[in-house]
Amino acid sequence: MSKTVGLDKKDQLSLAPDPSRWKALAFIALAQLMVVLDATIVNIALPSAQHALHISDANKQWVITAYALAFGGLLLFGGRIADLWGRKRTFVVGLLGFAAASALGGAATGEAMLLGSRALQGAFGALLAPAALSLLAVMFTDAKERAKAFGIYGAIAGGGGAVGLILGGFLTEYLNWRWTFFVNIPFAIVAALGAYLVIREPSGTRNRSPLDVPGVILSTTGLVALVYGFTRAESAGWSDALTISMFVASAVLLAAFVTVEAKVRHPLLPLRVVTNRNRGGVYLSLGLAVIAMFGLFLFLTYYLQVVKGFSPVKTGFAFLPMIAGMITGSTQIGARLMTRVPPRLLMAPGFLTAAVGMLLLTQLDIDTSYAGVILPAQILLGLGMGTAFMPAMSLATIGVEPRDAGVASAMVNTSQQVGGAIGTALLNTIAASATTAYVTGHMALGATNPELLKLQAMVHGFTAAIWWAVGILAVAAAIAATLINTGRPGGSSVSGLDTDEDIEDEVRIPVVAH
């Protein structure tokens, strides 16, 4: 850009793109795959782990909840640490810590040890996830290269959960549940070693401002209360006193957090990161889309295993069409079109395509053909989500100052994590209520064929919740179409930039690399 004029050859060379950036992408993508698949790989292993360690039914949810609380609650703090320490260092420390926590979980001899390891996994995941995304943000600044890099990252972020189902099924069925933890260790060590040797973080991108301790406390406790409120609602109900008190506490704490961030000199989350209409639109639409996606994984897994009688491995392979669709949508559609059309023209149609796929799944019954309904639905879902996720991941960090890249990346992960917690609790509650209502209205069938009634009621509950997922995806598409108004990356339009500060931010990142 114009600021490079007058620089001598040495200075211009120091500002040149890192020649190892594509190798770095491989290790960043590997780490992201590990974090994303860990969210679903443990789900398949949970019944076996519960039996082996004598975990009660009341406490089994904490295997999932302990991870979600630590990960969701500490993400903003992890993003700020990445900006302060340096993203490469934070990334490597997060990976090694995740490996150690996974080893502890695989070797668990009791309930407390397993739950503690899951909380540690979540804490180190909150360090490495925003560091990974922010490394991409500061290393890939050319529009076309950024599109390719985020295409790969978006495919992994969207499809990693389904990969976890396949891998979890294999490990649980042919080895044992402990390997769903141990498998993280080689992932983490290879990624950490590669990152240490290959990644060269651009200079001048750290934020060395003092840590906003009140912001850390308020954001962490507020997000923990929010995630726990939704998690508890799933098991105890929405009218439970503790559920309600968690939501009230979360609202108070997060409101106080916003107030503090608006006044302190060095905020944990500069409000300029989220008040930009484009980034705000990405965070909101992405969170809503994840709500719908988590509903799909949850209900389709149960449908295939309980209703259709699929084994864990066969269930995992049944999700392959969606993975293929996500990879195609992200790398072949999103990445190729991102530099040619505005992001909203990829995100909104992408979410709508996914909604059509979800709409097909509302037709499920106990005799539904996999090839006739589930297969095309998954292909549409994968194509739509892959096409939408790719520009969303890129747009969430474009235009931010390099020193804010970590916390902007953390907001992407926070919207996904909170969306996942909401999706699991909200859609599961809707499904359970619809199932109960169906049983009550078909008591005659229960007297003659109770097993058939049980299956029909379960499928009815799934389809009732999936209708809500369709609506949520439609709302995500509407938000993307109306709030996100920036032009195509690399184009002349800066209509999505709201202030002079934002325009300076848009110019600043290319200066680091050129």
Side-chain angles (χ1 to χ4, degrees), residues 290-435:
V290 170
I291 291 176
M293 283 297 293
F294 265 67
L296 170 76
F297 285 138
L298 184 69
F299 300 135
L300 207 49
T301 300
Y302 272 92
Y303 175 82
L304 292 172
Q305 290 196 33
V306 178
V307 179
K308 306 298 282 186
F310 284 22
S311 69
V313 171
K314 189 176 180 181
T315 300
F317 275 105
F319 279 95
L320 274 178
M322 186 168 62
I323 299 175
M326 283 187 172
I327 292 172
T328 303
S330 187
T331 62
Q332 301 304 310
I333 301 175
R336 289 178 182 272
L337 294 180
M338 184 181 161
T339 56
R340 301 178 184 179
V341 300
R344 68 179 181 276
L345 296 185
L346 290 173
M347 290 181 64
F351 288 140
L352 288 177
T353 301
V356 172
M358 199 73 80
L359 191 63
L360 284 177
L361 292 176
T362 62
Q363 306 306 306
L364 286 179
D365 59 43
I366 59 175
D367 298 319
T368 295
S369 161
Y370 175 85
V373 175
I374 299 173
L375 176 63
Q378 286 199 63
I379 291 172
L380 287 171
L381 275 159
L383 285 172
M385 286 297 193
T387 301
F389 269 48
M390 187 266 143
M393 291 291 180
S394 178
L395 191 60
T397 53
I398 201 168
V400 296
E401 294 186 46
R403 63 193 179 96
D404 292 335
V407 75
S409 303
M411 277 301 300
V412 180
N413 289 284
T414 300
S415 66
Q416 290 178 295
Q417 187 65 27
V418 172
I422 294 172
T424 303
L426 176 64
L427 297 180
N428 216 24
T429 304
I430 292 168
S433 300
T435 298

Side-chain angles (χ1 to χ4, degrees), residues 111-455:
E111 179 180 315
M113 190 172 172
L114 182 65
L115 297 183
S117 73
R118 288 292 283 164
L120 280 174
Q121 277 186 317
F124 284 108
L127 270 184
L128 73 90
L133 185 56
S134 59
L135 276 170
L136 290 188
V138 298
M139 292 177 75
F140 290 90
T141 54
D142 176 78
K144 290 185 178 180
E145 288 193 351
R146 186 182 179 94
K148 292 178 183 177
F150 278 89
I152 295 168
Y153 188 90
I156 291 171
V163 175
L165 295 173
I166 297 173
L167 192 55
F170 259 109
L171 295 173
T172 303
E173 194 163 326
Y174 296 116
L175 294 172
N176 64 51
W177 66 269
R178 296 184 184 276
W179 283 96
T180 60
F181 287 88
F182 290 145
V183 74
N184 291 325
I185 299 173
F187 274 100
I189 290 175
V190 170
L193 185 61
Y196 180 78
L197 295 175
V198 170
I199 291 177
R200 188 193 68 171
E201 188 175 350
S203 60
T205 61
R206 288 194 193 181
N207 184 347
R208 301 183 186 276
S209 303
L211 190 62
D212 171 20
V213 176
V216 170
I217 295 172
L218 289 170
S219 67
T220 301
T221 53
L223 287 171
V224 165
L226 181 64
V227 173
Y228 182 61
F230 278 106
T231 304
R232 183 170 176 82
E234 183 185 357
S235 58
W238 296 93
S239 59
D240 175 70
L242 184 55
T243 301
I244 295 172
S245 65
M246 284 294 103
F247 287 133
V248 172
S250 174
V252 171
L253 289 165
L254 292 178
F257 171 67
V258 173
T259 302
V260 167
E261 298 308 277
K263 294 181 178 180
V264 297
R265 186 175 179 183
H266 303 293
L268 172 69
L269 175 63
L271 295 184
R272 62 180 176 269
V273 172
V274 292
T275 53
N276 174 279
R277 65 180 293 165
N278 290 292
R279 288 191 288 272
V282 166
Y283 299 144
L284 190 55
S285 61
L286 204 56
L288 288 171
V290 170
I291 291 176
M293 283 297 293
F294 265 67
L296 170 76
F297 285 138
L298 184 69
F299 300 135
L300 207 49
T301 300
Y302 272 92
Y303 175 82
L304 292 172
Q305 290 196 33
V306 178
V307 179
K308 306 298 282 186
F310 284 22
S311 69
V313 171
K314 189 176 180 181
T315 300
F317 275 105
F319 279 95
L320 274 178
M322 186 168 62
I323 299 175
M326 283 187 172
I327 292 172
T328 303
S330 187
T331 62
Q332 301 304 310
I333 301 175
R336 289 178 182 272
L337 294 180
M338 184 181 161
T339 56
R340 301 178 184 179
V341 300
R344 68 179 181 276
L345 296 185
L346 290 173
M347 290 181 64
F351 288 140
L352 288 177
T353 301
V356 172
M358 199 73 80
L359 191 63
L360 284 177
L361 292 176
T362 62
Q363 306 306 306
L364 286 179
D365 59 43
I366 59 175
D367 298 319
T368 295
S369 161
Y370 175 85
V373 175
I374 299 173
L375 176 63
Q378 286 199 63
I379 291 172
L380 287 171
L381 275 159
L383 285 172
M385 286 297 193
T387 301
F389 269 48
M390 187 266 143
M393 291 291 180
S394 178
L395 191 60
T397 53
I398 201 168
V400 296
E401 294 186 46
R403 63 193 179 96
D404 292 335
V407 75
S409 303
M411 277 301 300
V412 180
N413 289 284
T414 300
S415 66
Q416 290 178 295
Q417 187 65 27
V418 172
I422 294 172
T424 303
L426 176 64
L427 297 180
N428 216 24
T429 304
I430 292 168
S433 300
T435 298
T436 302
Y438 188 91
V439 170
T440 304
H442 296 77
M443 295 301 292
L445 176 60
T448 58
N449 195 336
E451 187 61 29
L452 179 61
L453 176 62
K454 177 184 175 182
L455 293 178

